[in-house]
Amino acid sequence: MSTTVLSIFSTWPLLILLAILSSGSTSYSLNPDEELVHGLPNIVEATVDDIRLAFEQNKLTSRQLVEFYLGRIKRLNPVLKGVIEINPDALYLADKADQERKRNEPSHVPRDAPVVTKLRKAGAIILGKASLSEWSGFRGNVPPGWSARGGQGRNPYDKTGNRITPCGSSSGSAISASANFATVTLGTETDESILCPSSVNSVVGIKPTIGLTSRTGVVPISPRQDTVGTVADATYVLDSIAGIDINDKETIKISKYIPKGGYAQFLRRDGLKGKRVGVVRHPYFEFNISQEIDTILAKTYEQHLRTLRYTIDIL
């Protein structure tokens, strides 16, 4: 199943620029010139509201933002191998978006996979294609994140490059989101292909209910399990890609369950306050990687559980 790296430059506050979620720091530090880009401090962690405001104040253009992402990909991707192809039209499309914004004109959307078309309508510029575990992980005994074309993808939080798996099969989608190669990414999942890479690369991923998003253009494995989902800023992206595709009958069936106004309206900081959460430690806290890594992972989970308990008041 193919995955696509995306960057959102809409003047509308649809998406938030991905922030690293792990309490640890990545081993690939920013260059000093990446800390301040065209008057926008720390653009890696900027929200879409920050970017939109910078657009409105003429402090940032789509071209500058695309150049920033392309620069990160050029510098870090030879190590992380999260991207296999750059869209040669990315800068042209960025210039076009800048011109359309100045004239307050709607974007012309070319024919594409329906989920990509929806994102283009929301203001997305397609930066390229993410790497994918070979044949979605169904090619025998090969490591997660490896493909003949892209090589072995690496988890951005693994300094050694061989101790922490990037998981798969949408490996490049999670690697690219975690390394801030783009604002958001898409992935596809039959069984854990979004959820596992998102988890181990410390980003948020959603596997939508079958029919919530179109599957037209996806190489199929199982019609009862395949779905296109989101990696990073998952709810906002889901709102952008959910909906009917006349070529995917499941989207017609499920469309009546999509809430008016989308899913982001239900995001509340205190939404879990007072809720009781059960934690199954056995066997799920038995990672069986190595004693050192198992101890680190167990302590990290407990740390996050304490954060939920004392910061959000979960029982």
Side-chain angles (χ1 to χ4, degrees), residues 276-295:
R276 184 176 295 277
V277 176
V279 179
V280 183
R281 287 178 169 79
H282 176 74
Y284 299 108
F285 276 31
E286 298 170 6
F287 306 102
N288 297 320
I289 301 174
S290 72
Q291 184 175 357
E292 178 187 3
I293 293 179
D294 288 0
T295 300

Side-chain angles (χ1 to χ4, degrees), residues 209 212 251-260 263:
T209 299
L212 189 57
T251 64
I252 299 173
K253 295 178 183 178
I254 206 72
S255 62
K256 62 183 178 181
Y257 299 109
I258 299 175
K260 185 177 181 180
Y263 294 96

